[in-house]
Amino acid sequence: MRRCCAAMLRGARWCGGLCSSLGLAGAGGSTLLRRPRALSAAFSSNGGGARSGGAPSAGASDVKPLDGVKILDLTRVLAGPFATMNLGDLGAEVIKVERPGAGDDTRAWGPPFAGTESVYFLSVNRNKKSIAINMKDSKGAKLIRELAAVSDVFVENYVPGKLAEIGLGYEDIQKIAPHIVYCSITGYGQTGPMVQRGGYDSIAAAVAGLMHITGHEDGEPVRAGVAMTDLATGLYTYGAIMAGLLQRYKTGKGLHIDCNLLSSQVACLTHVAANYLNCKIEGKRWGTAHGSIVPYQAFKTKDGYIVVGAGNDQQFVTVCKILNLPEVSKDSRYKTNTLRVENRKELIDILSTRFSEKATIEWLQLFEGSGVPYGPINNMQQVFSDPQVGSHQVFSVLHNGLVMKMDHPTAGRIAVPGFLMFSGTGDLIPILQNILEDSCLGGTAWDISWLHCNQNHKKLE
């Protein structure tokens, strides 16, 4: 059996194959591990007893793709928490390490709040268990290393070099956990003149060019409505960690993954970047339109907007038929997409005039079944009233089932957006449970409810 902070484990309880409480008091009474307010609720849809990195038992009916994978999550704000939340949705067991007293920065981001809980924080932190550790204290750093030794994945988003200063860099963790998939998320990467800058979405979006190409054609640069650079980085991180686990399965060795906001956003510039790299065509703002496809944009109706995209010539003919503009489809200026791009202004003026003559619902009915991509511009109320979006409890799914409803110990019944990627893999809907109940503390012990010591589920001593 692995010995893990043995002096601190006296009196710890063992339930369901888990070491479910750790008493951690530092010298002079300083607290190394404590709850950041009442907000440190456990976000978990995972049962106890999963083996460290092992496969669930054969024939299990509720097997999730990442059952048995343990993730030590030192990330804050959005990109990292979004990645680890999605991994948790697939069954990974995630322990979120936070600052004593304050926790993740987003716990204070509001209003709005659900009770005392930041809705922003709740939106990206399901499927996690939360502990607060003072990593600057040597005993706190030691505890992180002990947790890493029994984890499969270590995720952090500190400025490069900061964790190495306290013995928690990749080289440090690799020595005690050569199997570890260690993922660093930064603003600008591990080397270079910007390496010591902190990374926030809007700044990275500006530096990487996204803000330059976002907004009205003749207007100012605009920030996207949600933090797309952070979210894209989270998705790249999510995929890289999955690939890292597969690589470790093949080689038996861990590795270091480097994800950063700048690289993620530049990669997502796709054709805009390729236009510049190959043709020296500078990117520009197009509003809702597309630089290389016409028509592909929003049109104002009598009472709102509809977005229509004609990705090929046949679709353009269909659009003209629906709008009762057969002469436009026959006009030599608009016969091909290249010609439509060249004569954009004249064509869009004609189409805009016609779209303004009917209400949005009328146009939606006319486009239904046409084969042309189309849709309204919805507000949030309309989005979550759409039967294609739907909500779900367990697997009672209405179409896409994008709303997860769950119980939180202090906020009560809440709903957050989610994405079910698998069916038949068990319950992916997380229920928020408080694992730090006083009845579990045994008087003075704090509960981290997470440490597995080996594949036989033996108690840490």
Side-chain angles (χ1 to χ4, degrees):
M1 289 178 243
R2 181 176 181 81
R3 303 189 65 86
C4 172
C5 301
M8 300 180 187
L9 284 168
R10 289 190 293 270
R13 298 185 179 192
W14 183 257
C15 301
L18 297 176
C19 176
S20 62
S21 60
L22 270 177
L24 294 169
S30 63
T31 302
L32 292 171
L33 172 63
R34 57 191 177 89
R35 180 177 2 190
R37 305 179 298 170
L39 296 175
S40 184
F43 286 57
S44 175
S45 62
N46 306 311
R51 287 167 290 194
S52 179
S57 58
S61 62
D62 61 346
V63 173
K64 304 177 190 120
L66 295 184
D67 269 349
V69 173
K70 298 172 186 63
I71 298 175
L72 186 59
D73 180 9
L74 275 62
T75 66
R76 306 142 293 159
V77 187
L78 183 54
F82 185 65
T84 55
M85 177 186 72
N86 280 286
L87 293 166
D89 281 349
L90 296 185
E93 192 168 13
V94 183
I95 188 76
K96 181 179 177 71
V97 178
E98 303 186 61
R99 291 177 299 161
D104 190 314
D105 290 350
T106 61
R107 287 184 181 271
W109 286 12
F113 293 94
T116 59
E117 308 283 350
S118 162
V119 172
Y120 192 111
F121 177 83
L122 293 176
S123 73
V124 291
N125 283 288
R126 65 178 176 267
N127 280 332
K128 300 176 187 179
K129 299 168 184 177
S130 177
I131 58 173
I133 298 177
N134 180 6
M135 295 187 295
K136 295 180 180 179
D137 187 293
S138 61
K139 292 182 179 178
K142 180 182 178 184
L143 177 58
I144 295 294
R145 288 190 289 271
E146 295 283 358
L147 288 167
V150 292
S151 299
D152 299 290
V153 180
F154 185 112
V155 195
E156 57 90 8
N157 64 345
Y158 286 82
V159 171
K162 291 297 182 183
L163 288 186
E165 292 175 1
I166 55 175
L168 298 176
Y170 172 64
E171 290 77 11
D172 304 300
I173 299 301
Q174 184 189 35
K175 291 176 184 176
I176 58 172
H179 65 280
I180 204 79
V181 175
Y182 188 113
C183 182
S184 298
I185 306 172
T186 62
Y188 304 99
Q190 297 294 318
T191 60
M194 300 169 69
V195 69
Q196 290 301 309
R197 295 187 191 179
Y200 264 49
D201 173 87
S202 290
I203 292 87
V207 174
L210 177 63
M211 210 173 282
H212 173 72
I213 60 173
T214 306
H216 291 295
E217 186 173 356
D218 299 318
E220 298 293 323
V222 171
R223 176 186 178 273
V226 294
M228 288 309 303
T229 302
D230 266 344
L231 294 171
T233 304
L235 290 174
Y236 271 117
T237 299
Y238 165 76
I241 288 172
M242 299 277 275
L245 288 168
L246 183 59
Q247 176 78 351
R248 188 187 70 181
Y249 174 79
K250 294 177 176 180
T251 67
K253 298 178 181 179
L255 67 157
H256 187 198
I257 297 168
D258 173 24
C259 292
N260 65 82
L261 303 184
L262 178 66
S263 296
S264 297
Q265 186 52 71
V266 170
C268 286
L269 293 176
T270 57
H271 69 282
V272 177
N275 289 347
Y276 176 77
L277 292 172
N278 294 284
C279 306
K280 299 307 177 199
I281 297 174
E282 181 56 76
K284 60 173 290 186
R285 293 182 283 283
W286 285 104
T288 65
H290 193 288
S292 301
I293 306 171
V294 175
Y296 187 4
Q297 66 179 74
F299 294 94
K300 188 170 177 56
T301 66
K302 266 189 176 181
D303 60 349
Y305 294 88
I306 184 171
V307 180
V308 174
N312 59 53
D313 296 336
Q314 182 55 52
Q315 287 180 347
F316 176 67
V317 171
T318 303
V319 169
C320 292
K321 182 178 180 180
I322 292 171
L323 271 60
N324 195 22
L325 294 170
E327 70 280 4
V328 174
S329 66
K330 297 174 184 177
D331 192 315
S332 61
R333 295 174 296 172
Y334 312 131
K335 280 291 186 179
T336 67
N337 181 69
T338 300
L339 290 169
R340 293 192 291 274
V341 171
E342 292 174 357
N343 296 286
R344 176 192 302 267
K345 186 180 186 307
E346 297 88 345
L347 176 57
I348 295 304
D349 285 345
I350 295 169
L351 300 182
S352 296
T353 298
R354 183 54 55 91
F355 274 113
S356 68
E357 295 173 0
K358 296 181 184 294
T360 302
I361 187 63
E362 295 179 84
W363 288 121
L364 296 178
Q365 291 168 348
L366 288 169
F367 273 93
E368 179 66 30
S370 67
V372 174
Y374 72 98
I377 294 181
N378 287 334
N379 60 28
M380 292 302 102
Q381 187 276 329
Q382 292 166 326
V383 168
F384 293 106
S385 298
D386 191 322
Q388 192 67 42
V389 174
S391 62
H392 56 66
Q393 284 290 357
V394 190
F395 277 93
S396 298
V397 182
L398 176 62
H399 302 301
N400 290 18
L402 297 177
V403 180
M404 293 184 173
K405 295 181 180 179
M406 59 200 75
D407 295 314
H408 187 278
T410 63
R413 191 73 167 167
I414 68 167
V416 294
F419 180 35
L420 268 177
M421 290 171 285
F422 288 83
S423 61
T425 56
D427 179 9
L428 292 184
I429 311 308
I431 300 299
L432 309 186
Q433 299 171 332
N434 191 344
I435 58 170
L436 297 177
E437 299 289 352
D438 291 341
S439 62
C440 296
L441 302 184
T444 60
W446 274 94
D447 180 13
I448 68 168
S449 191
W450 190 64
L451 287 175
H452 298 261
C453 58
N454 59 31
Q455 292 190 357
N456 294 320
H457 302 170
K458 293 182 179 180
K459 178 178 174 182
L460 298 175
E461 292 180 348

